[in-house]
Amino acid sequence: MRKTLLVLSCFGMMATTVLAGGYQVRLQGARQTGMGLIGTPLAFGSSSIFYNPGAMGFSKSRFDFTVGGSAIISRMSFQSINSDYTAKTDNPVSPPFFAYGQAKITDRLTAGIGVYTPYGSKSVWPDDWKGRYLIQNISLQAIYIQPTVSYKVTDWMGFGAGLVYVHGKVELEKGVPYNEGSKANLKGSANNLGFNVGVFARPTEKLSIGIDYRSHVDAKVEGGDATFTIPAGVSSLIPATNKFDASLPLPANLDIGIAYQVTDKLLLAVEFDYVFWGKYDSISFTFAQSGNILSSVNPRMYSDRLIPRIGAEYSLNDKLQFRLGAYYDQTPTSEDYFNPETVSLNTIAVSCGVTYKPIENLRIDFSYLQLHGLESERAYLPANFTGKYRSFTAIPGIGINYSF
Amino acid sequence: MKTRILIFAIFSVVLVACQPEIDEFQASKGNADFTKYVAIGNSLTSGYADAALYHSAQANSYPAIMAAQFAKVGGGNFIQPVVNSEYGVLSGKRVLDFAADCKGVVGLSPVPATGTPEGLAHVGYAVNNFGVPGAKSYHLLAQNYGNPAGLVTTPMTANPYFVRFASSPSISVMEDVMAAQGTFFSLWVGNNDILGYATAGGENTQGDSITPVNFFSVIYNGLVSTLTSTGAKGVLANIPDITEIPFFTTVTYNGLVLTAEQAVQLNGAYAQVEAYLASIGVPYQYNFNFQAGANAFVIEDRNFPIAALPKALKVRQIQPGELILLTVPQDSMKCYGMGSFSTAALMPFGIPQNYVLDAQEVAIINNATAAYNVVIKAAAESKGLALADMNSHLRNLKSGLIYDGLTFTTTFVTGGVFSLDGVHLNQQGAAVVANFFIDAINKTYSASVPKAEVTQYPGILFP
């Protein structure tokens, strides 16, 4: 009964959104998500491929496979500052996913591969909303594929490194100030490479420490498709179809965490993630035709941010574990260059999770993360667009791990 | 025990708000009373746009937009003398469409719309919007200004637009205004007292002289005293510098673009004219100078030093700061040499005076505007009324005003504020102006009337 209640209280309320800092989505493991997205100082099997490749070799099993995903259900509200105008997004559910597999080649050497989606964003504002000349809707997704090797230098320390192949996709729509319904649709994809390196150490039975660095990747769209839905009267100025180039930075992360096994049943962890958002100072769109009218450089002025996280895991028995976590994510956006394409606010996040192990080698991890984007007045000065924003995100997630 | 703590903790996580609600905007009427709003003025107030008073532009007149915002702070219904036709009360409406010029070049330009005018049938109800296209300040006090009989007299003593809603044939606009018993008013008049002169190119051919400042002052102060006599509060607006509106700025003084060859030909032609004048004993140096690129147009010179010459010879090049009207016949300029030289007549072909405001005329307009605005400001101050400084706003608009990603300027068509007649506002422009009024009202009356959302109003319709 108690167990049922616990499970219900955690997942009964699948209400409503997330994107924490910027457009980063750190939902690469259901177990880590339950603990406030802490993963660097934890050796939770093959999901270490993302969180800390240095920890891969600390898996007890020879083979370890993890798959899972989440459903990001997000709502953002906008309120004009000098009128009673309000707008709310109608965002579709965004489904980040992950899949990892690893195998011990020797006692010390582990190899694996991971596929995951650490950046993404989906916002759909009403068609006639007052910010439509900034953004109407946007869908952004980056899939990372990461082959990785990890080497245990000693029994208590390992390091790992992975090469990251990034495939990014973006589609956005914004209004064009001609007749009602005039709009521009931009669609493109990008491929690039990066890396992920980590060190994991367990100096005592109870203490573990992890450091991980994931590199900056530029998602460069070249020759993306631009389609303009505009009256014939302006087609001599703006061609209906066009090509564009743009580049979106996917920033580097430096994560440091410590975990401590307080009792046999209770594990506590803290982590600090430093996200190098400062690289994102502007985004430019360069068009092949009518570039003098259409091309633009748009300031974003993001700042680097440090995210503190805490998390706990409690093992009730061999079959059940519970998790709790929380973190505070300060928005990397600028007060004066806040574009509603990415409604990233100072965010308080709380998480919980539960694991059920039906048999020895199989675990099913459920997680639930809830983000509260705190109300804030923000402006995008180049468009003289100011308002108050608030967001709410609910993210139920599931992961399945099989190891042997 | 631990489990209980855990349950408690999880519940506290879950029991948090789920919808991101933001505190509502706190609207307030301050110390004004918007129960019954009446708007007094001319074509700008009526919702006249694109050279016509038609349905959708009237529906989004600046007073109608203001009234919709006032409704959020206790304002009542705002009734306009509704025009049902999208074509308009009278003919003349312009739309943007493709048209071929005299050279066969097809381009986008304002062309006459097709339709049937709705006519002047009386609307049959009392209104809140007393904007009467064409009305000058003193017309608001004129008896019989809405009398249909006065439409067929010479000169006309009535106004067709007031005929549509005057409560009786003999009544004046102001008498109807006062009968409406408004609790709040807006007054924007005086524009036509100057504009009539300006759009006639300063030529006093249609009786369009500028209303003398002293007379304007008496009339204006009378209007304001009457309006405030009931204790009503309101907002006044001053007169923008009309020489900065697209009607006067679109055809630029140096819009005569020549090739090197054409410049040589023109210089040669004018040298011959000078030689001819010298041969008949009229020595005059034109000082014409044409070169490849942009050149000042040739205009008829009102103050040509030698009066006893054929009109075609009394010309000069226009100076920077002098203005050419939007109504100048474009085909005559493009194909028949107006503004440069008539190859058919082998004579100079200056732009006629009624399409030009020369330096003297511009100065007369500017002086009158400044003097009127002194009167308006003093009236606002003495009665404690709000004042929307449209003069400054228009000046600022020249360098661009950005609203939620839309950029507004005073440029014709693409500037987004002015309609296709180059004088009146389009619907987005009306929303911009409504917000200028609301700003002034909020400031003076310590109110928080919500601003209109400019992006929610249509701009110029492109084909």
Side-chain angles (χ1 to χ4, degrees):
Chain A
M1 178 56 209
R2 247 187 215 173
K3 290 171 196 167
T4 322
L5 194 62
L6 268 173
V7 175
L8 283 180
S9 63
C10 188
F11 298 99
M13 194 211 61
M14 307 273 170
T16 6
T17 311
V18 170
L19 295 192
Y23 37 87
Q24 191 171 34
V25 184
R26 280 178 62 111
L27 303 165
Q28 276 70 49
R31 220 174 143 186
Q32 290 89 343
T33 301
M35 291 179 70
L37 279 61
I38 293 176
T40 316
L42 304 173
F44 281 173
S46 52
S47 52
S48 293
I49 289 172
F50 169 78
Y51 287 99
N52 186 349
M56 286 162 70
F58 288 77
S59 172
K60 292 187 184 80
S61 315
R62 181 140 186 243
F63 295 98
D64 187 302
F65 299 95
T66 309
V67 295
S70 315
I72 301 179
I73 305 155
S74 69
R75 300 277 179 277
M76 300 150 188
S77 299
F78 172 85
Q79 156 88 62
S80 285
I81 48 157
N82 50 22
S83 88
D84 55 338
Y85 179 88
T86 60
K88 278 197 166 86
T89 58
D90 183 17
N91 298 338
V93 173
S94 176
F97 63 88
F98 53 86
Y100 309 99
Q102 70 173 48
K104 278 192 177 160
I105 296 167
T106 71
D107 272 357
R108 298 215 176 270
L109 185 67
T110 306
I113 187 163
V115 180
Y116 54 91
T117 55
Y119 293 94
S121 170
K122 267 190 184 170
S123 302
V124 175
W125 291 95
D127 280 352
D128 61 347
W129 94 291
K130 72 174 274 187
R132 64 186 181 275
Y133 301 117
L134 289 85
I135 192 71
Q136 182 71 68
N137 43 61
I138 182 166
S139 160
L140 172 73
Q141 196 184 31
I143 297 175
Y144 280 44
I145 300 170
Q146 182 190 324
T148 310
V149 290
S150 182
Y151 188 73
K152 256 175 116 173
V153 186
T154 68
D155 284 348
W156 60 273
M157 188 175 80
F159 69 88
L163 180 72
V164 172
Y165 170 78
V166 178
H167 176 69
K169 283 192 298 189
V170 65
E171 178 168 7
L172 66 88
E173 254 176 8
K174 56 198 277 187
V176 181
Y178 296 108
N179 300 358
E180 190 184 339
S182 296
K183 63 183 177 182
N185 176 291
L186 306 182
K187 203 173 180 177
S189 63
N191 300 305
N192 213 332
L193 294 175
F195 63 87
N196 181 358
V197 292
V199 181
F200 179 83
R202 190 174 275 158
T204 74
E205 275 288 290
K206 295 186 164 184
L207 181 71
S208 58
I209 300 166
I211 301 176
D212 184 71
Y213 179 78
R214 263 165 269 117
S215 71
H216 178 95
V217 174
D218 276 320
K220 278 187 193 157
V221 176
E222 283 169 357
D225 291 312
T227 312
F228 288 85
T229 308
I230 43 172
V234 284
S235 58
S236 60
L237 285 175
I238 301 173
T241 56
N242 205 334
K243 295 282 180 192
F244 76 97
D245 296 345
S247 179
L248 184 72
L250 306 175
N253 282 248
L254 178 64
D255 303 346
I256 299 173
I258 299 175
Y260 192 72
Q261 192 75 46
V262 182
T263 69
D264 283 354
K265 293 189 175 226
L266 183 66
L267 173 71
L268 294 180
V270 294
E271 183 171 317
F272 295 92
D273 299 345
Y274 191 82
V275 190
F276 295 82
W277 281 113
K279 281 265 185 185
Y280 191 22
D281 54 359
S282 71
I283 182 164
S284 46
F285 292 91
T286 310
F287 286 84
Q289 300 172 64
S290 297
N292 54 334
I293 299 172
L294 298 173
S295 296
S296 62
V297 178
N298 310 283
R300 290 295 181 267
M301 303 295 179
Y302 276 36
S303 304
D304 292 353
R305 286 296 179 236
L306 183 71
I307 309 168
R309 308 175 187 278
I310 54 166
E313 179 176 81
Y314 183 78
S315 304
L316 192 67
N317 54 41
D318 286 349
K319 293 209 180 288
L320 274 176
Q321 288 176 316
F322 299 101
R323 275 169 221 104
L324 277 179
Y327 63 89
Y328 180 69
D329 195 352
Q330 198 187 353
T331 180
T333 58
S334 144
E335 266 185 39
D336 294 336
Y337 297 96
F338 185 96
N339 189 303
E341 73 197 3
T342 308
V343 179
S344 164
L345 304 165
N346 290 334
T347 298
I348 294 172
V350 287
S351 70
C352 60
V354 59
T355 292
Y356 179 63
K357 288 191 208 171
I359 53 168
E360 173 65 27
N361 294 337
L362 179 69
R363 46 185 305 139
I364 303 169
D365 304 318
F366 299 95
S367 64
Y368 176 70
L369 176 64
Q370 186 167 295
L371 306 188
H372 298 269
L374 304 179
E375 183 176 321
S376 176
E377 184 178 318
R378 301 266 151 174
Y380 188 65
L381 293 183
N384 196 12
F385 186 81
T386 309
K388 291 179 189 166
Y389 295 87
R390 194 172 166 189
S391 67
F392 180 85
T393 307
I395 309 172
I398 186 172
I400 296 166
N401 174 270
Y402 189 71
S403 60
F404 55 97
Chain B
M1 182 56 204
K2 274 176 186 161
T3 318
R4 272 192 202 150
I5 293 170
L6 204 59
I7 292 172
F8 180 76
I10 291 172
F11 262 110
S12 58
V13 166
V14 165
L15 291 174
V16 206
C18 309
Q19 282 292 336
E21 298 296 343
I22 303 175
D23 288 343
E24 279 177 28
F25 178 81
Q26 296 296 312
S28 139
K29 66 187 173 70
N31 48 40
D33 175 4
F34 301 103
T35 312
K36 183 155 192 185
Y37 165 50
V38 291
I40 303 109
N42 47 46
S43 48
L44 289 163
T45 302
S46 72
Y48 190 97
D50 302 321
L53 183 64
Y54 64 93
H55 181 79
S56 57
Q58 183 192 39
N60 287 325
S61 67
Y62 80 78
I65 294 171
M66 284 164 67
Q69 301 308 109
F70 291 163
K72 297 163 185 173
V73 287
N77 274 349
F78 186 78
I79 298 163
Q80 304 198 94
V82 171
V83 180
N84 293 304
S85 157
E86 271 302 309
Y87 180 71
V89 172
L90 302 173
S91 57
K93 187 188 175 186
R94 301 272 152 168
V95 291
L96 204 56
D97 207 349
F98 293 101
D101 65 9
C102 55
K103 289 181 170 167
V105 178
V106 175
L108 208 54
S109 63
V111 299
T114 51
T116 313
E118 181 169 304
L120 306 178
H122 196 281
V123 294
Y125 47 79
V127 302
N128 297 56
N129 187 339
F130 295 92
V132 180
K136 297 185 177 186
S137 58
Y138 52 86
H139 288 145
L140 300 181
L141 298 170
Q143 302 292 321
N144 288 304
Y145 196 52
N147 189 341
L151 296 174
V152 292
T153 57
T154 311
M156 250 167 53
T157 55
N159 181 306
Y161 296 96
F162 189 46
V163 164
R164 296 180 63 243
F165 65 90
S167 65
S168 80
S170 65
I171 205 159
S172 73
V173 175
M174 274 303 280
E175 282 167 340
D176 261 351
V177 168
M178 294 316 290
Q181 295 181 308
T183 59
F184 193 87
F185 66 87
S186 66
L187 177 67
W188 194 8
V189 290
N191 316 61
N192 282 337
D193 297 66
I194 297 172
L195 190 69
Y197 171 85
T199 54
E203 308 314 305
N204 194 1
T205 50
Q206 296 145 19
D208 267 323
S209 55
I210 291 182
T211 308
V213 175
N214 293 342
F215 185 45
F216 174 78
S217 176
V218 170
I219 296 290
Y220 195 85
N221 284 308
L223 294 173
V224 172
S225 292
T226 308
L227 287 166
T228 52
S229 62
T230 58
K233 289 173 176 167
V235 58
L236 309 180
N238 64 7
I239 314 299
D241 184 348
I242 56 169
T243 60
E244 286 178 0
I245 65 179
F247 192 86
F248 300 101
T249 57
T250 303
V251 183
T252 53
Y253 83 96
N254 63 347
L256 179 63
V257 180
L258 302 172
T259 62
E261 191 189 355
Q262 287 171 325
V264 169
Q265 287 171 352
L266 265 184
N267 284 325
Y270 277 95
Q272 285 186 23
V273 175
E274 280 176 359
Y276 164 73
L277 285 176
S279 73
I280 60 167
V282 185
Y284 178 69
Q285 296 291 316
Y286 277 88
N287 293 321
F288 280 95
N289 178 24
F290 299 100
Q291 49 203 348
N295 289 272
F297 281 113
V298 177
I299 59 167
E300 290 179 358
D301 187 2
R302 203 158 52 92
N303 300 312
F304 198 82
I306 304 144
L309 276 180
K311 200 164 138 186
L313 293 175
K314 295 192 283 186
V315 293
R316 65 174 168 90
Q317 275 183 286
I318 190 169
Q319 298 297 307
E322 298 183 315
L323 304 170
I324 301 168
L325 275 47
L326 185 61
T327 42
V328 69
Q330 293 286 340
D331 278 357
S332 299
M333 293 174 74
K334 279 182 189 161
C335 297
Y336 302 100
M338 182 190 280
S340 53
F341 194 85
S342 167
T343 45
L346 287 175
M347 288 286 256
F349 192 1
I351 296 173
Q353 288 173 29
N354 59 326
Y355 296 118
V356 174
L357 292 177
D358 66 24
Q360 283 177 353
E361 291 162 342
V362 169
I364 289 169
I365 289 166
N366 288 342
N367 291 340
T369 305
Y372 281 23
N373 286 344
V374 169
V375 170
I376 293 168
K377 186 164 187 240
E381 281 168 2
S382 77
K383 301 288 182 189
L385 300 171
L387 174 62
D389 187 354
M390 297 306 174
N391 190 279
S392 306
H393 291 315
L394 184 69
R395 207 175 320 122
N396 294 337
L397 198 59
K398 233 175 125 179
S399 50
L401 173 72
I402 299 176
Y403 244 112
D404 301 336
L406 291 170
T407 303
F408 294 104
T409 66
T410 52
T411 308
F412 191 44
V413 182
T414 55
V417 176
F418 289 96
S419 69
L420 298 173
D421 56 34
V423 174
H424 299 96
L425 304 164
N426 70 34
Q427 295 169 53
Q428 248 171 15
V432 170
V433 162
N435 281 343
F436 291 150
F437 274 106
I438 291 172
D439 278 334
I441 291 164
N442 284 343
K443 194 174 151 211
T444 304
Y445 298 110
S446 309
S448 286
V449 178
K451 299 275 247 351
E453 290 299 342
V454 173
T455 59
Q456 308 297 304
Y457 294 90
I460 282 180
L461 203 60
F462 283 79

